[in-house]
Amino acid sequence: MNSEVRRAAEVLRAGGLVAFPTETVYGLGADASSAEAVARLYAAKGRPADHPVIVHFATADAAFSFARDIPANARQLAERFWPGPLTMVLQRSAKAKDFVTGGQDSVGVRVPSHPVAQALLREFDGGVAAPSANRFGSVSATTAAHVLGELDVEYVLDGGPAEVGIESTIVDLTSGVALLRPGRISREEIEKALGVDVKSADAASPRHSGGLERHYAPKTPALLVAPHQLDAEIAKRGADAAVLAFSKPDERVDYWVRMPKDPNAYAQKLYAALRELDAAGRGTILIESPPGTAEWTAVRDRLSRAASPVP
Ligand code: TXA
Ligand code: MG
């Protein structure tokens, strides 16, 4: 892996794109200080240019060099959760250019824990802008094969299946503490670490594409179905349905993925399962709704966006 990491860092230095594993999902990386490299990144993803991108670093000190007026809360969260699946939105420093902030005065920074991501970031020794390695709006990639199947990239580092499986928790610290995107690190854990209430994102919060109603979505229309309605929905569609559910497969349906009852295990499996059911090419993906409890917040967030009606 060492020579591959060195090669990947060279590709980044030359302005190229490298897909790499993180503990959450695979990222599509570019040199965060190069306008040309970041433009190439947006083109590869098919992403609108005014959307901000998360910048990844090997250490908290490096991450904070892209920010100014760093609040004590940010340092505390870094101490507690970095390296790990947390992104902080902070007031930007001069190092965070318009082409990574979407022209906003804030920047999203993260220190991932995956050993291959860490090795790459240390070797590169700078900020790596990295959105999830998928086409804009579609399901994130949790394996190297997912990336290769959908993006044109110069180099892919394979670090095995992502452990968390859904994108990082995003906390906005530009005024108070607000949750922009739920993830493995929960609101409750952040509140406990800081001893303050965490607000929800509102209209004044920085723009973020994960906040779009339809995002993380398969091509097949997906429908969220309450457990007691699953049988009736299957009866209505028969073999035209593909199903993601907690219960055992039903013989009327050819494409069925049975999901774990533990929220972390469910999240880990989610995107591969959605990709598999999408590839089946049925008319509808029926998704059995998970429980309404706090531990399922991040999974419910991704499912409700995946299952939003096609506009
Ligand atoms: O787990 C993750 O966060 C993965 C891995 C690769 O690190 N990355 C990821 O990136 O999910 P992306 O670009 O697919 O989603 C990043 C989210 C977007 O909703 C983006 O708009 C938001 O973070 N974001 C980035 N910088 C921001 C900023 N300055 N203000 C508000 N939102 C920001
Ligand atoms: Mg994404």
Side-chain angles (χ1 to χ4, degrees):
M1 188 50 85
N2 276 350
S3 64
E4 289 166 48
V5 165
R6 273 198 299 276
R7 175 82 192 102
E10 278 167 27
V11 172
L12 289 177
R13 277 193 281 271
L17 305 182
V18 170
F20 63 98
T22 84
E23 66 279 19
T24 57
V25 298
Y26 274 66
L28 180 61
D31 178 355
S33 67
S34 162
E36 295 77 31
V38 174
R40 203 167 290 147
L41 177 64
Y42 276 60
K45 264 193 76 95
R47 183 182 204 171
D50 64 340
H51 280 263
V53 66
I54 297 172
V55 189
H56 298 66
F57 300 87
T59 64
D61 281 346
F64 287 150
S65 76
F66 266 53
R68 65 170 203 275
D69 301 333
I70 299 156
N73 281 338
R75 298 194 186 277
Q76 243 169 300
L77 290 181
E79 189 71 29
R80 171 76 179 78
F81 296 111
W82 277 352
L86 178 75
T87 295
M88 293 192 231
V89 173
L90 300 166
Q91 304 284 348
R92 69 166 163 180
S93 74
K95 286 188 175 176
K97 309 287 189 208
D98 281 345
F99 52 82
V100 295
T101 69
Q104 302 182 96
D105 198 30
S106 62
V107 62
V109 291
R110 168 160 125 77
V111 178
S113 63
H114 193 292
V116 175
Q118 273 287 326
L120 176 65
L121 292 165
R122 279 177 201 283
E123 180 72 28
F124 179 66
D125 197 23
V128 173
S132 51
N134 55 277
R135 298 281 304 169
F136 182 69
S138 84
V139 177
S140 295
T142 54
T143 67
H146 292 164
V147 180
L148 290 166
E150 97 178 58
L151 289 178
D152 186 19
V153 276
E154 283 145 271
Y155 208 79
V156 180
L157 287 170
D158 189 346
E163 184 207 322
V164 175
I166 56 172
E167 305 78 1
S168 61
T169 304
I170 305 182
V171 179
D172 174 20
L173 294 146
T174 57
S175 79
V177 188
L179 186 66
L180 296 186
R181 179 171 74 184
R184 164 73 77 87
I185 295 171
S186 68
R187 173 193 296 266
E188 292 73 22
E189 282 177 277
I190 294 164
E191 290 183 333
K192 202 170 149 215
L194 296 180
V196 302
D197 282 347
V198 173
K199 297 177 289 182
S200 297
D202 59 29
S205 299
R207 265 195 335 273
H208 59 119
S209 49
L212 296 176
E213 210 167 288
R214 186 177 156 80
H215 206 72
Y216 317 113
K219 289 173 209 80
T220 312
L223 210 61
L224 264 177
V225 179
H228 70 275
Q229 288 167 338
L230 189 60
D231 188 68
E233 291 296 332
I234 290 170
K236 223 188 280 178
R237 292 179 175 78
D240 197 39
V243 176
L244 189 76
F246 294 103
S247 43
K248 282 212 240 7
D250 180 305
E251 59 191 16
R252 292 168 293 179
V253 174
D254 300 326
Y255 295 92
W256 187 292
V257 177
R258 190 174 188 191
M259 297 299 281
K261 291 213 163 90
D262 169 73
N264 292 342
Y266 188 110
Q268 187 177 51
K269 210 178 157 179
L270 177 60
Y271 289 142
L274 284 176
R275 282 168 177 270
E276 182 186 331
L277 294 176
D278 204 11
R282 303 283 114 160
T284 312
I285 299 174
L286 298 175
I287 303 173
E288 183 180 6
S289 306
T293 49
E295 51 173 13
W296 286 92
T297 302
V299 164
R300 278 202 318 275
D301 170 75
R302 303 312 190 275
L303 289 179
S304 63
R305 294 181 204 284
S308 271
V310 182

